[in-house]
Amino acid sequence: KIENIVRSDDGKEAVESMLKSMDSKALTPEGKIKTYKIDYNKVEKNPMGGIYILLIINDDPEMKLDTTLEKGTRGEKYKTGAKGISPKLDKLVYGEKQ
C-alpha cells in the first residue's frame, strides 16, 4: 500500500512540485535537476508520520534527496515534508555558499 501511494499521481505530483521549488526548470532540458528516481528499496512508513522516500537525482548515486510524503490534514493531496539533501546535490542546486 505504501509503495502504491508513492507511485500514485498525487505522490508524483508532490515530489515534482518539491523539485520545481528547488529548481524552477527542474525536469526540463534547461534544469539542473533533469531526472529523478525513487529508491523503492528504501520506501518505508516514517514513525513521525508520512512515508519516507529517497530520490536519486540525475542518475547520480551521490545526488540524493530524502523527504517524507504526507497526506494533508484536511484530506488534501499529498505533500512533501522536510528534506535532506546530499552535499553534491546542494552544490548543484544552490551553488557555493558565500
mmCIF file of all heavy atoms in Angstrom, residues 23-34 92:
data_model
loop_
_atom_site.group_PDB
_atom_site.id
_atom_site.type_symbol
_atom_site.label_atom_id
_atom_site.label_comp_id
_atom_site.label_asym_id
_atom_site.label_seq_id
_atom_site.Cartn_x
_atom_site.Cartn_y
_atom_site.Cartn_z
ATOM 1 N N ASP A 23 14.372 24.040 -8.043
ATOM 2 C CA ASP A 23 14.935 24.390 -9.355
ATOM 3 C C ASP A 23 13.746 24.653 -10.265
ATOM 4 O O ASP A 23 13.057 23.723 -10.666
ATOM 5 C CB ASP A 23 15.785 23.213 -9.860
ATOM 6 C CG ASP A 23 16.267 23.366 -11.302
ATOM 7 O OD1 ASP A 23 16.087 24.448 -11.889
ATOM 8 O OD2 ASP A 23 16.819 22.387 -11.837
ATOM 9 N N SER A 24 13.500 25.924 -10.578
ATOM 10 C CA SER A 24 12.284 26.268 -11.331
ATOM 11 C C SER A 24 12.205 25.570 -12.689
ATOM 12 O O SER A 24 11.123 25.384 -13.225
ATOM 13 C CB SER A 24 12.170 27.780 -11.507
ATOM 14 O OG SER A 24 13.289 28.253 -12.252
ATOM 15 N N LYS A 25 13.336 25.147 -13.230
ATOM 16 C CA LYS A 25 13.329 24.451 -14.522
ATOM 17 C C LYS A 25 13.558 22.951 -14.366
ATOM 18 O O LYS A 25 13.927 22.272 -15.320
ATOM 19 C CB LYS A 25 14.403 25.056 -15.431
ATOM 20 C CG LYS A 25 14.098 26.494 -15.798
ATOM 21 C CD LYS A 25 15.099 27.047 -16.782
ATOM 22 C CE LYS A 25 14.634 28.411 -17.244
ATOM 23 N NZ LYS A 25 15.716 29.353 -17.360
ATOM 24 N N ALA A 26 13.351 22.447 -13.166
ATOM 25 C CA ALA A 26 13.558 21.012 -12.906
ATOM 26 C C ALA A 26 12.763 20.171 -13.890
ATOM 27 O O ALA A 26 11.656 20.542 -14.294
ATOM 28 C CB ALA A 26 13.142 20.678 -11.480
ATOM 29 N N LEU A 27 13.361 19.040 -14.268
ATOM 30 C CA LEU A 27 12.726 18.039 -15.140
ATOM 31 C C LEU A 27 12.533 18.541 -16.567
ATOM 32 O O LEU A 27 11.717 18.002 -17.303
ATOM 33 C CB LEU A 27 11.413 17.533 -14.525
ATOM 34 C CG LEU A 27 11.524 17.086 -13.061
ATOM 35 C CD1 LEU A 27 10.170 16.699 -12.510
ATOM 36 C CD2 LEU A 27 12.527 15.958 -12.906
ATOM 37 N N THR A 28 13.272 19.594 -16.941
ATOM 38 C CA THR A 28 13.296 20.073 -18.326
ATOM 39 C C THR A 28 14.754 20.053 -18.774
ATOM 40 O O THR A 28 15.657 19.999 -17.939
ATOM 41 C CB THR A 28 12.754 21.517 -18.460
ATOM 42 O OG1 THR A 28 13.701 22.413 -17.855
ATOM 43 C CG2 THR A 28 11.380 21.689 -17.820
ATOM 44 N N PRO A 29 15.010 20.139 -20.082
ATOM 45 C CA PRO A 29 16.407 20.143 -20.551
ATOM 46 C C PRO A 29 17.232 21.298 -19.971
ATOM 47 O O PRO A 29 18.439 21.172 -19.800
ATOM 48 C CB PRO A 29 16.273 20.279 -22.066
ATOM 49 C CG PRO A 29 14.911 19.745 -22.380
ATOM 50 C CD PRO A 29 14.056 20.088 -21.177
ATOM 51 N N GLU A 30 16.598 22.425 -19.629
ATOM 52 C CA GLU A 30 17.329 23.584 -19.085
ATOM 53 C C GLU A 30 17.587 23.460 -17.587
ATOM 54 O O GLU A 30 18.374 24.207 -17.038
ATOM 55 C CB GLU A 30 16.552 24.893 -19.314
ATOM 56 C CG GLU A 30 16.327 25.267 -20.763
ATOM 57 C CD GLU A 30 15.120 24.554 -21.350
ATOM 58 O OE1 GLU A 30 14.069 24.481 -20.682
ATOM 59 O OE2 GLU A 30 15.242 24.035 -22.476
ATOM 60 N N GLY A 31 16.897 22.554 -16.927
ATOM 61 C CA GLY A 31 17.006 22.459 -15.475
ATOM 62 C C GLY A 31 18.297 21.818 -15.012
ATOM 63 O O GLY A 31 18.946 21.079 -15.745
ATOM 64 N N LYS A 32 18.664 22.117 -13.771
ATOM 65 C CA LYS A 32 19.807 21.447 -13.140
ATOM 66 C C LYS A 32 19.393 20.040 -12.725
ATOM 67 O O LYS A 32 20.174 19.109 -12.804
ATOM 68 C CB LYS A 32 20.265 22.241 -11.913
ATOM 69 C CG LYS A 32 20.829 23.609 -12.267
ATOM 70 C CD LYS A 32 21.129 24.399 -11.011
ATOM 71 C CE LYS A 32 21.597 25.799 -11.373
ATOM 72 N NZ LYS A 32 21.754 26.629 -10.186
ATOM 73 N N ILE A 33 18.161 19.925 -12.252
ATOM 74 C CA ILE A 33 17.607 18.612 -11.906
ATOM 75 C C ILE A 33 16.882 18.115 -13.152
ATOM 76 O O ILE A 33 15.832 18.634 -13.515
ATOM 77 C CB ILE A 33 16.628 18.714 -10.722
ATOM 78 C CG1 ILE A 33 17.358 19.213 -9.468
ATOM 79 C CG2 ILE A 33 15.951 17.371 -10.462
ATOM 80 C CD1 ILE A 33 16.448 19.504 -8.288
ATOM 81 N N LYS A 34 17.477 17.139 -13.818
ATOM 82 C CA LYS A 34 16.896 16.650 -15.076
ATOM 83 C C LYS A 34 16.004 15.426 -14.875
ATOM 84 O O LYS A 34 14.970 15.296 -15.521
ATOM 85 C CB LYS A 34 18.001 16.334 -16.073
ATOM 86 C CG LYS A 34 18.826 17.579 -16.397
ATOM 87 C CD LYS A 34 19.721 17.386 -17.588
ATOM 88 C CE LYS A 34 20.579 18.590 -17.890
ATOM 89 N NZ LYS A 34 19.951 19.875 -17.883
ATOM 90 N N LEU A 92 24.934 21.544 -6.605
ATOM 91 C CA LEU A 92 24.362 21.681 -7.944
ATOM 92 C C LEU A 92 23.216 22.694 -7.954
ATOM 93 O O LEU A 92 23.169 23.596 -8.789
ATOM 94 C CB LEU A 92 23.821 20.337 -8.434
ATOM 95 C CG LEU A 92 23.029 20.386 -9.748
ATOM 96 C CD1 LEU A 92 23.975 20.525 -10.937
ATOM 97 C CD2 LEU A 92 22.141 19.175 -9.915
#
